[in-house]
């Protein structure tokens, strides 16, 4: 049991984690002090560009129950205007021409699902872990668009129906600030741990993780460690937009008028703090 982490586009993170046997620290910083915690759940750290065969082997492992994705709109290859696959992206154009050697996350997943169907392996759950609204629905939509176009080339006629009937794509909400790591953060991690960490994660103490209860394979009991597992994620998304994002917008506008360039600077202004507290 464990996690196999894969870097699809940028090899930097896997190159940083591999020499550390996948270990990294999480620095929970409340503005006054940072508390480190070493995470050891990563059993393998791979890069698609240099370790394609190992990545493919992991996707086709019968014990692989969940494939999670933390990517952007560009990573989903999603066109929000037409609500479908963005076929104009270079990586999608390349994958449509050669779907058996994919380079995009969408192409890689479709290839793996075709292989698992042919080998009669149990489907894995596709778990989106990012802040894109209705992320599971977005993933299901673009995968269906892509599979429809390449299933014959993959030698897997019927893959689209198999995907829609057998694979789960639950929506999630992940709410925890993880700003970009700077050299000062790496130095702080080294001081607190007494050893060097090339890939620390800096975050706030607060965390909210909501997952739609829709799985087609085994899953950990995440609810035992504070995750909210619910039939519907949309109400939590609405709560975030109305409370958190609206608050950010108000702070940003007031801070901008006061000459601040960040929300942190805005919160140091007494007049902004007074507005926020009232």
């Amino acid at each position: 049991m464990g996690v196999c982490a894969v870097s699809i586009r940028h090899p930097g993170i896997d190159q940083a984690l591999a020499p550390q046997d996948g270990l990294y620290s999480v620095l929970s910083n409340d503005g006054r002090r940072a508390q480190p915690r070493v995470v050891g759940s990563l059993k393998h750290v791979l890069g698609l560009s240099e370790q394609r065969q190992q990545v493919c082997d992991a996707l086709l492992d019968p014990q692989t129950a969940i494939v999670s994705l933390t990517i952007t709109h560009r990573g989903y290859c999603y066109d929000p205007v037409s609500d479908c696959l963005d076929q104009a992206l270079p990586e999608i154009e390349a994958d449509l021409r050669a779907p058996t050697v994919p380079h995009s996350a969408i192409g890689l997943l479709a290839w793996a699902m075709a292989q698992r169907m042919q080998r009669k392996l149990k489907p894995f759950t596709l778990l989106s872990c990012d802040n894109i609204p209705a992320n599971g629905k977005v993933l299901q939509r673009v995968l269906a668009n892509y599979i429809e176009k390449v299933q014959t080339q993959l030698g897997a006629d019927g893959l689209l129906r198999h995907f829609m009937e057998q694979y789960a794509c639950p929506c999630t909400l992940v709410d925890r600030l993880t700003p970009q790591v700077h050299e000062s953060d790496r130095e702080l991690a080294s001081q607190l741990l007494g050893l060097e960490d090339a890939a620390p994660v800096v975050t706030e103490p607060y965390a909210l993780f909501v997952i739609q209860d829709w799985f087609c394979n085994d899953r950990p009991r995440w609810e035992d460690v504070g995750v909210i597992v619910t039939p519907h994620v949309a109400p939590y998304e609405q709560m975030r937009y109305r409370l958190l994002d609206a608050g950010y917008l108000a702070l940003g506008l007031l801070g901008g008028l006061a000459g601040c360039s960040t929300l942190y600077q805005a919160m140091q202004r007494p007049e902004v703090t007074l507005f926020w507290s009232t």
Side-chain angles (χ1 to χ4, degrees), residues 6 19 33 69 86 92 133 179 212 222 255:
V6 177
R33 57 178 296 189
L69 301 95
D86 189 347
I92 291 299
Q212 182 184 6
W222 285 313

Side-chain angles (χ1 to χ4, degrees), residues 40-262:
S41 58
L42 298 183
K43 302 304 180 184
H44 304 284
V45 182
L46 306 173
L48 179 62
S49 59
E50 297 180 351
Q51 297 165 298
R52 174 175 290 272
Q53 187 57 55
Q54 292 96 313
V55 173
C56 293
D57 290 344
L59 288 169
L60 301 184
D61 190 324
Q63 293 187 343
T64 297
I66 297 174
V67 176
S68 66
L69 301 95
T70 303
I71 50 182
T72 62
H73 274 100
R74 176 63 183 263
Y76 281 107
C77 304
Y78 176 61
D79 180 0
V81 176
S82 58
D83 186 30
C84 65
L85 179 73
D86 189 347
Q87 298 182 56
L89 293 176
E91 58 266 40
I92 291 299
E93 290 182 341
D95 285 358
L96 289 173
R97 290 194 300 269
T100 58
V101 190
H103 293 84
S104 69
I106 299 303
L108 191 61
L109 289 174
W111 174 87
M113 287 188 287
Q115 292 291 312
R116 292 182 77 94
M117 184 182 75
Q118 293 166 354
R119 302 182 188 194
K120 302 187 183 306
L121 297 177
K122 190 175 181 179
F124 45 60
T125 298
L126 293 162
L127 186 66
S128 299
C129 298
D130 47 56
N131 290 320
I132 294 177
N135 47 21
K137 295 180 181 179
V138 168
L139 178 60
Q140 187 181 52
R141 177 69 169 162
V142 294
L143 270 171
N145 292 159
Y146 179 83
I147 290 171
E148 184 178 17
K149 299 178 186 304
V150 302
Q151 58 183 349
T152 299
Q153 294 171 267
L154 289 172
D157 287 328
L159 178 60
L160 177 58
R161 181 174 180 176
H162 178 71
F163 166 61
M164 297 301 293
E165 292 180 350
Q166 300 296 325
Y167 277 81
C169 300
C171 293
T172 70
L173 171 65
V174 182
D175 185 7
R176 195 177 197 188
L177 291 177
T178 53
Q180 183 178 356
V181 174
H182 300 284
E183 186 59 36
S184 58
D185 298 316
R186 297 187 183 90
E187 294 175 355
L188 177 60
S190 298
Q191 294 174 6
L192 294 173
L193 296 171
L195 48 84
E196 184 177 352
D197 182 0
V201 175
V202 179
T203 186
E204 61 180 333
Y206 173 81
L208 175 65
F209 197 176
V210 184
I211 302 177
Q212 182 184 6
D213 192 8
W214 178 29
F215 292 82
C216 58
N217 206 318
D218 298 334
R219 71 167 179 88
R221 287 190 55 82
W222 285 313
E223 57 267 52
D224 292 345
V225 290
V227 176
I228 298 174
V229 181
T230 176
H232 304 289
V233 175
Y236 293 90
E237 290 182 330
Q238 293 175 358
M239 177 185 67
R240 174 180 173 165
Y241 300 149
R242 295 172 182 175
L243 296 179
L244 183 63
D245 292 353
Y248 283 162
L249 179 61
L251 281 175
L253 291 173
L254 290 173
L257 292 173
C260 303
S261 58
T262 66

